[in-house]
Amino acid sequence: MTHSITRIERSDGWVGLRLRELFEFRGLLYFLTWRDIKVRYKQTVLGALWAILQPVLTMVVFTLFFGRLARMPSDGVPYHLFSLTALVPWTFFANGMTAASNSLVGSANIIKKIYFPRLALPMSAVLGGIVDFVLAFIVLIGMLLAGGVVPTINIIWLPLFVLLAFVTALGVSLWLSALNVQFRDVRYVVPFIIQLWMFSSPIVYPASLIEDPVLRVVYAFNPMVGVIEGFRWSLLGTETAPTMMTAVSVLVALAMLFGGAFYFRRMEKTFADVV
Amino acid sequence: MAQSAVTVRGMGKQFFRAAVQRRHDTLRDLITESLSAPFRRAAKLLRGQATGAAELDERFWALKDVSFDVQRGEVLGIIGRNGAGKSTLLKILARITDPTEGYADIRGRLGSLLEVGTAFHQELTGRENTFLNGAILGMSKDEVAAKFDEIVEFSGVSKFIDTPVKHYSSGMTVRLAFAVAAHLEPEVLIIDEVLAVGDAPFQRRCLGKMKEVTREGRTVLFVSHNMSAVSQLCDRAILLVDGKVRTDGETDAVVDEYLSAVAQHSIGVDGDVREFPRNDTHDPQITRVTLNGEPLTDHCLVGLFDPMSLRMELDLNSPQRDCIASFHFDNQQGETVCCLHSGWTHGAVDLNSPGRHVFECTIDKLPLVPGNYHLTLGVASRGRYFDAMERVAHIEVRGADVFDTGDIPRQQRGAGYFLVPARWNTSR
């Protein structure tokens, strides 16, 4: 009988991603995600309603202040629909990033006792937000229809924009979660990053405010620009042609993801010693 | 020749002492640390506390040059004092941490039972946790499903399998966790001190399960302080001393050597502690310590709610006035949970002559929550200790079903430090 041989030795510097191993542990990814979903609203009164309340209440506040008082332009769409369309993917991104950044530190006891591909932890933390996203999305569609906005045929592209949001959230979280193991500062930095990032993304204002085409491409270096403009384009039929900006956002998101994955793998071997 | 299941060659693991002792919880700590460390090191050189670069860097080898083979179907015991590198070795083999040098080859699937149950989520039911834990250990969903009934049966918690684990007793959690891990069916199994938990029948069942595992031709690496379990289970043992393999051979011989090596290193035969390392300012004047009439050893067992007597013998250089003796019990987190202080309970005494004196302390029913404690002891005169030994031995308080409920109390978060007999009344 032959057995597979596992060689255990020091790995220096940059190492491979070992995606095959991650694939072998896909059952774990599934169960961790499922655990996160299952546990998320235990012992809360409102339960899964939180998934809807977060974006909807934010929408109400934004509509009051930015829509009514500041008279922010909204690409010709009623302001509340305009902002909710952005808030739904944004909430998925922001919550995923928050959960994933803390995923390693929060699972310190498992990391110190059991071997498994650590990548599964931040990944499942981001994936765990999918159910919340779907719930919020249903509300979004309901409100669009109620507001007389029928999603365009471009809605078929929507899953790709969700994927882009996922990739962005995971990419950032890989950096942050690995850094968090060493520097607990990250915990305090994350809410701050999210706040800054939110106002750097076209949530309360349209990306069309930026008229210079070159500046727009620069603006799209923030991958959430691609996500949110993509959502608006496919659901509201706004004018923003997503081609160039989307391409830039996708490239930046992929670069963050791969950079993050390699950095994560490089730091991974020290997690158990440091966390 | 049969191929070995585990091959370890030249394995070493180096820790930076700074990484162990000072953790940089914030970036600010790291910055101040990086700025101050060079000065601290230079000061150390000037004071003559360090002689070489290695000492300056505050590194140490938790493991060094460890090589051994384990044949398929063999049960290897790994023994050694606390801090000898056993846990580090297991963590490397379990792939939790990387070695600094050397390598290990493991043929086949590896499963580890290092403190089972850590992955349990309190809010999930026993059933859900079984699947989750199985997945973390590397089992597929189908694999767990196929063995599910067997696992539940083995754990003996079938009635509560759909209850959230937070309502389980500690014993039930551990039994279920062990059951999941024991059914992993890896080719190589690593076990660290799991037998320290659970009641006696369950421990017997665990031992039985482990024997069964080895009969099926699987390989087991077993770490324990429990020498009788090691002797019973293992064909061969290696003794680790200061991160190196001291002996590798037949279990009984290695166990004997361990017992005498332990004695050599710290507490001599017959509880002699004169050679035990002290703080520089202390002149060894405590000569011998006994526990329940037996000489103190590196690892002693006492039963929960059993009587316990600790006794220290002194050989004084000079008379000492206003003397007290104390025994401290520190838990694994380093907190002193109990201090037996002769001054508090008895008042200070004058030891008017040099030479032999004895302090003895007796407890009728030891109320410490079961678990491991470090024993620290000392004698003081007028509030100054003139001899003391830190962490001279491990005292393991072994749990028992003292309240006759079928449940054994153990050390865990929220359990507190002491077990206090109490009467309960439930009414409505």
Side-chain angles (χ1 to χ4, degrees), chain B residues 59-196:
Chain B
R59 293 180 220 209
F60 72 99
W61 290 92
L63 276 185
K64 185 79 185 148
D65 265 337
V66 172
S67 302
F68 60 88
D69 294 86
V70 193
Q71 302 306 319
R72 184 133 7 106
E74 193 173 33
V75 185
L76 178 75
I78 300 172
I79 55 183
R81 282 167 58 91
N82 284 298
K86 298 173 313 242
S87 303
T88 307
L89 177 60
L90 287 201
K91 279 190 171 178
I92 291 172
L93 293 179
R95 299 173 68 192
I96 293 165
T97 177
D98 261 13
T100 310
E101 57 177 37
Y103 68 88
D105 281 336
I106 292 178
R107 290 178 184 80
R109 184 153 86 158
L110 178 121
S112 59
L113 297 186
L114 308 180
E115 282 187 45
V116 289
T118 40
F120 271 24
H121 197 288
Q122 295 295 309
E123 297 283 352
L124 299 178
T125 68
R127 182 188 301 275
E128 292 164 343
N129 266 311
T130 303
F131 279 93
L132 176 65
N133 224 21
I136 290 177
L137 293 171
M139 281 192 260
S140 72
K141 199 176 162 186
D142 297 339
E143 225 175 320
V144 181
K147 287 180 192 144
F148 187 77
D149 292 336
E150 214 181 314
I151 291 172
V152 176
E153 161 88 38
F154 185 85
S155 69
V157 299
S158 48
K159 258 199 288 185
F160 306 100
I161 197 68
D162 289 312
T163 311
V165 164
K166 64 177 170 185
H167 300 304
Y168 280 27
S169 71
S170 52
M172 283 159 67
T173 316
V174 169
R175 293 207 299 265
L176 183 60
F178 182 85
V180 179
H183 288 78
L184 173 62
E185 305 203 343
E187 278 91 27
V188 180
L189 183 64
I190 293 181
I191 302 176
D192 187 7
E193 214 65 90
V194 271
L195 295 176

Side-chain angles (χ1 to χ4, degrees), chain A residues 81 84 135-149 151:
Chain A
L81 299 180
L84 187 64
L135 290 176
F137 186 73
I138 292 169
V139 172
L140 171 65
I141 293 293
M143 287 190 60
L144 287 181
L145 293 177
V149 178

Side-chain angles (χ1 to χ4, degrees), chain A residues 73 75 199-202 205-220 222 225 229 240 245:
Chain A
D75 286 346
F199 289 104
S200 324
S201 306
Y205 56 89
S208 56
L209 276 188
I210 298 157
E211 281 166 4
D212 185 340
V214 180
L215 273 184
R216 271 204 195 187
V217 170
V218 175
Y219 186 51
N222 167 6
V225 170
E229 284 306 297
T240 330
M245 286 173 82

